[in-house]
Amino acid sequence: MTFLPRLPLMAVLLASAGLHAEPLFFTPCSDTAAPGSLCSGLNVPGSYDAQGRAVGDKDAMHVFVRKFAADVPAGKPARGTLWLVAGGPGESGASFYSLLPTLRRSFPGFEFLIPDHRGTGHSSRLCKVEESEQSPGGRALAGAEWGSCFAGINLMPEYAGQFSITMAARDLKALIEGERGSKKPPVYVYGVSYGTQLVLRTLQLGPLPVKGVILDSLVPPQTDARRDLSQRSHVVNTVGVQVLAQCDADAACHAALGEPAATLYRRVLDKVQADPALLAKIPGKNLKNFLGGMLDVPAARARIPYLLHDLDQGGEAELASVRAILTQAAAGLGSYPQSPLSIPLVNIISNSENNLQPSLRPNWATTDIDRDEADLLFTSPLPRILLGGGLPTYPRDAYFGALPMKVPPTLVLQGTLDPKTPYAGAQAQVQALTQSKAGKVALSAVHNAPHFLLWTAPTCFEQASTRFIAGKTAQDCTLQFPPTI
């Protein structure tokens, strides 16, 4: 397990009081996840009050941070620092490790600081025993660990509040401010998906000593009832239908199918539902969910029309090919001991702050979701997962549904075919920030791109990032992935 040097208690007290904390003390990591990286961390309170002061034990939790030094000649200082905030919620900073080559091209001469926000990776976990690296499932829950972990949290429902977005934002603010004294400008912050929500919440707490912020796949407004997590299937379907329409508009793709893609898809759906043997070949035994998941990976997404054609003809070659593409894409993010998603954290934060279904449709059941999604062609399993609950929620605080009063120069990178954080939702957030005169916020559209552009559209990401740190105007970009045979 990676336990590394921690800051003195006085540094924690200063950070929790909103004052300048001492910088992190980095040493060679004791693991082999990322050779050459340095590791550190910060002791933080279990909870903060509304003013950011420690509540209870001031040394209750630990936030892990990994550092990748700048790729500069020996003796030369880094050109800048970039903090990378992972998504999820529940995802650790390990999702960035294999993307270091793209990051180095996008931020030449920068050093990278990657925290695991509380509840994830090597930071303090909700279930200390079941999510420990030494447990049977490692950082992931396995077997009986599910029951004991969930039961333990339910015995202490107030514990859920210690893992709120705002608590994690207090940690992130302390980390960045603690490093301020040891760094020369420029310092930037990058967040992706849920990480954009966490960065915005951190900025709600007050200004950060950074030159700029990059938000990749920006979350929609928290109060947007059309795009909260309970509506994920509708968000996914909107993008999926666009992908089918692209095939219809492409001469080669349309010729290969010989009919509108949606017509073909509905016929295939009927065949799959009527043939148990064919249904069993579909991962998860749900074609709508499987194709919805394919939208996240451009190379797989481009094969959707041809997969439907092959299934209609009784073939299996395209399905095998698509599964290989998805496996290779997942492998591209790497697998590290801290990689497994923290499902308890996902459950608690999602149901506490990003799922509007309990208040808008309090009596909904699985049958209601079945009826709601009956005519959709692409779906997500998320609405049904959230319906199950299973863990306590925490009360929403004053920051819920609000935005920062001030933001540093900010670049929003958004894919127009994002099936998780939709492009229209990002537009709404940018419009709200602009109308409130919070600061300069630019939106760079990446046409045809899905979610997590650092991963799925690295060339466009590099172009936008290098322009941003050079102080140049943001430009749109296009991901070249036509649906060709």
Side-chain angles (χ1 to χ4, degrees), residues 124-198:
S124 294
R125 306 295 289 252
L126 272 153
C127 296
K128 295 180 176 63
V129 175
E130 294 88 349
E131 292 187 294
S132 72
E133 198 169 339
Q134 292 79 21
S135 72
R139 292 299 189 188
L141 296 177
E145 292 178 340
W146 285 97
S148 60
C149 173
F150 275 50
I153 296 172
N154 278 298
L155 287 173
M156 301 183 298
E158 68 284 353
Y159 188 51
Q162 295 188 29
F163 290 85
S164 71
I165 299 175
T166 300
M167 296 302 170
R170 296 281 184 195
D171 295 342
L172 183 58
K173 184 174 176 63
L175 287 169
I176 295 173
E177 290 183 339
E179 283 294 278
R180 171 172 52 185
S182 64
K183 303 293 177 225
K184 294 182 179 180
V187 176
Y188 293 85
V189 176
Y190 162 92
V192 59
S193 192
Y194 162 75
T196 67
Q197 186 176 52
L198 179 53

Side-chain angles (χ1 to χ4, degrees), residues 354-371:
N354 295 322
N355 178 18
L356 300 179
Q357 178 270 320
S359 58
L360 297 179
R361 297 172 295 276
N363 298 317
W364 262 44
T366 303
T367 52
D368 296 300
I369 295 180
D370 291 340
R371 184 177 62 255

Side-chain angles (χ1 to χ4, degrees), residues 157-166 194 201 348-353 392-397:
E158 68 284 353
Y159 188 51
Q162 295 188 29
F163 290 85
S164 71
I165 299 175
T166 300
Y194 162 75
R201 183 67 59 89
I348 289 172
I349 290 181
S350 297
N351 276 311
S352 297
E353 299 208 44
T393 57
Y394 57 81
R396 294 167 181 171
D397 59 29

Side-chain angles (χ1 to χ4, degrees), residues 196-447:
T196 67
Q197 186 176 52
L198 179 53
V199 170
L200 287 175
R201 183 67 59 89
T202 306
L203 288 167
Q204 283 184 269
L205 303 177
L208 290 175
V210 301
K211 187 174 182 179
V213 170
I214 298 176
L215 302 176
D216 178 347
S217 306
L218 178 61
V219 296
Q222 275 193 302
T223 56
D224 188 343
R226 297 166 299 170
R227 302 184 181 99
D228 74 297
L229 296 184
S230 71
Q231 297 298 299
R232 175 59 62 81
S233 287
H234 290 274
V235 171
V236 168
N237 186 67
T238 297
V239 172
V241 170
Q242 288 179 270
V243 170
L244 297 182
Q246 285 183 339
C247 176
D248 293 338
D250 181 86
C253 187
H254 180 68
L257 270 56
E259 61 183 315
T263 301
L264 169 63
Y265 188 6
R266 293 189 186 281
R267 185 169 66 250
V268 171
L269 273 174
D270 291 339
K271 285 186 177 182
V272 169
Q273 294 303 321
D275 185 349
L278 179 57
L279 181 62
K281 296 176 183 178
I282 306 299
K285 297 183 180 181
N286 188 315
L287 186 60
K288 291 183 179 183
N289 281 354
F290 181 59
L291 266 64
M294 288 173 63
L295 298 173
D296 291 324
V297 181
R301 183 187 67 194
R303 303 309 306 173
I304 287 177
Y306 310 109
L307 171 61
L308 293 173
H309 184 266
D310 199 31
L311 290 173
D312 187 49
Q313 300 296 315
E316 299 181 15
E318 193 67 38
L319 179 59
S321 175
V322 165
R323 296 185 71 168
I325 290 172
L326 293 173
T327 299
Q328 183 179 16
L333 287 175
S335 180
Y336 307 93
Q338 71 202 89
S339 291
L341 196 69
S342 174
I343 301 301
L345 189 65
V346 173
N347 185 304
I348 289 172
I349 290 181
S350 297
N351 276 311
S352 297
E353 299 208 44
N354 295 322
N355 178 18
L356 300 179
Q357 178 270 320
S359 58
L360 297 179
R361 297 172 295 276
N363 298 317
W364 262 44
T366 303
T367 52
D368 296 300
I369 295 180
D370 291 340
R371 184 177 62 255
D372 182 58
E373 297 182 356
D375 293 331
L376 302 184
L377 296 178
F378 299 80
T379 56
S380 165
L382 190 56
R384 286 176 175 78
I385 294 172
L386 293 175
L387 195 64
L391 289 175
T393 57
Y394 57 81
R396 294 167 181 171
D397 59 29
Y399 301 108
F400 173 80
L403 288 173
M405 293 182 62
K406 295 293 181 183
V407 297
T410 299
L411 173 65
V412 175
L413 298 175
Q414 201 77 19
T416 60
L417 293 179
D418 188 333
K420 285 186 167 66
T421 52
Y423 184 73
Q427 286 180 306
Q429 284 279 47
V430 170
Q431 182 180 27
L433 286 165
T434 302
Q435 289 179 343
S436 69
K437 299 181 180 180
K440 184 179 179 181
V441 182
L443 172 61
S444 176
V446 183
H447 299 281

